[in-house]
């Protein structure tokens, strides 16, 4: 399966390129889960991460445009799409999501979306490449948010370890996440960044 890391965000609150700070963790998790190739979508971090960069057709206009861009590039292939700012992501956290995507009970045009503690994590999902044109039409209508894609598609939610979807929007967030990862007694109970469906 193709994996695509969204690396085109402005990283305004972080103060530097989040893709350079955390993209390597996300890349390694995707590769460890068996994804090949792993590509970057947008931004300038792809070369530094050793990844091919798929251009974002509407840079700076939100994650839906980046998602549609990579699905149009991928053609009919399924694509695991991940944000670049998941410092605790590990390959094993992605396993339930990929297993559901490969499940014969999951129709080809159905998205498989991560759930963490009952909340939808729109940014961690396997998307059918065949819907790229449909999502691009939504971009051209002015839509920007990933949740719009779920309003247009059939989708299946799969519960995964909540650490997989804990992002880091600031340097303080990153330090906190790294501290949590090093503590054997710490179990995060933070609600994922994305709103409930």
């Amino acid at each position: 399966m193709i994996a695509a890391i969204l690396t085109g965000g402005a990283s305004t609150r972080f103060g530097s390129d989040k893709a350079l700070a955390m993209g390597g963790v996300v890349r390694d998790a995707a590769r460890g889960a068996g994804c090949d190739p792993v590509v970057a979508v947008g931004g300038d971090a792809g070369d530094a991460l050793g990844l091919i960069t798929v251009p974002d057709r509407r840079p700076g206009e939100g994650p839906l445009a980046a998602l549609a861009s990579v699905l149009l590039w991928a053609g009919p292939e399924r694509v695991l799409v991940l944000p670049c700012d998941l410092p605790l992501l590990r390959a094993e956290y992605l396993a339930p999501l990929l297993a559901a995507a490969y499940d014969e009970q999951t129709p080809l045009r159905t998205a498989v979306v991560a759930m963490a503690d009952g909340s939808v994590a729109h940014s961690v999902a396997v998307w059918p490449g065949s819907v790229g044109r449909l999502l691009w039409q939504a971009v051209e209508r002015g839509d920007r948010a990933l949740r719009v894609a779920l309003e247009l598609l059939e989708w299946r939610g799969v519960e995964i370890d909540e650490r997989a979807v804990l992002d880091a929007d600031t340097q303080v967030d990153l330090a906190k996440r790294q501290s949590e990862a090093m503590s054997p007694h710490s179990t995060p109970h933070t609600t994922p960044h994305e709103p409930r469906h």
Side-chain angles (χ1 to χ4, degrees), residues 37 40 48-49 53-54 84 90 97 124 137 140 148 155 164 170 188 191:
L49 295 171
T53 298
V54 175
C84 66
R90 294 166 59 171
L97 201 64
V124 178
Q137 291 170 352
E140 291 184 323
V148 172
W155 60 278
T170 67
T191 301

Side-chain angles (χ1 to χ4, degrees), residues 10 15 27 44 53 60 68 74-76 115 123 133 142 144 153 177 179:
R27 174 202 62 206
D44 302 316
T53 298
M115 305 281 292
S123 60
R133 190 171 301 279
R144 296 170 58 96
L153 303 177
R177 303 297 186 226
S179 176

Side-chain angles (χ1 to χ4, degrees), residues 19 27 82 101 105 127 129 136 145 150 164 178 180 192:
R27 174 202 62 206
L82 302 163
Q105 302 298 316
W127 301 91
W136 189 253
L150 298 187
Q178 291 171 334
E180 290 169 349

Side-chain angles (χ1 to χ4, degrees), residues 1 67 79-83 97 111-114 121-127 150:
M1 183 182 294
L67 170 61
V79 183
L80 169 65
V81 178
L82 302 163
L97 201 64
V112 179
V113 185
H122 304 85
S123 60
V124 178
V126 176
W127 301 91
L150 298 187

Side-chain angles (χ1 to χ4, degrees), residues 169-184:
D169 287 328
T170 67
Q171 298 277 356
V172 172
D173 288 343
L174 178 56
K176 179 181 177 183
R177 303 297 186 226
Q178 291 171 334
S179 176
E180 290 169 349
M182 293 176 63
S183 173

Side-chain angles (χ1 to χ4, degrees), residues 1-4 37 39 41 54-55 57 66-81 108-110 126-136 153:
M1 183 182 294
I2 298 168
V39 302
V41 185
V54 175
R57 297 182 176 206
L67 170 61
S69 294
V70 74
L71 295 184
L72 288 169
W73 172 84
E77 298 290 328
R78 283 193 174 105
V79 183
L80 169 65
V81 178
L108 288 176
R109 286 179 64 88
T110 297
V126 176
W127 301 91
S130 58
V131 302
R133 190 171 301 279
L134 174 66
L135 298 188
W136 189 253
L153 303 177

Side-chain angles (χ1 to χ4, degrees), residues 18-34:
K18 290 195 292 185
L20 294 177
M22 293 170 276
V25 172
V26 179
R27 174 202 62 206
D28 292 348
R31 285 178 173 166

Side-chain angles (χ1 to χ4, degrees), residues 9-22:
S11 303
T12 305
R13 285 187 287 166
F14 195 77
S16 62
D17 193 338
K18 290 195 292 185
L20 294 177
M22 293 170 276

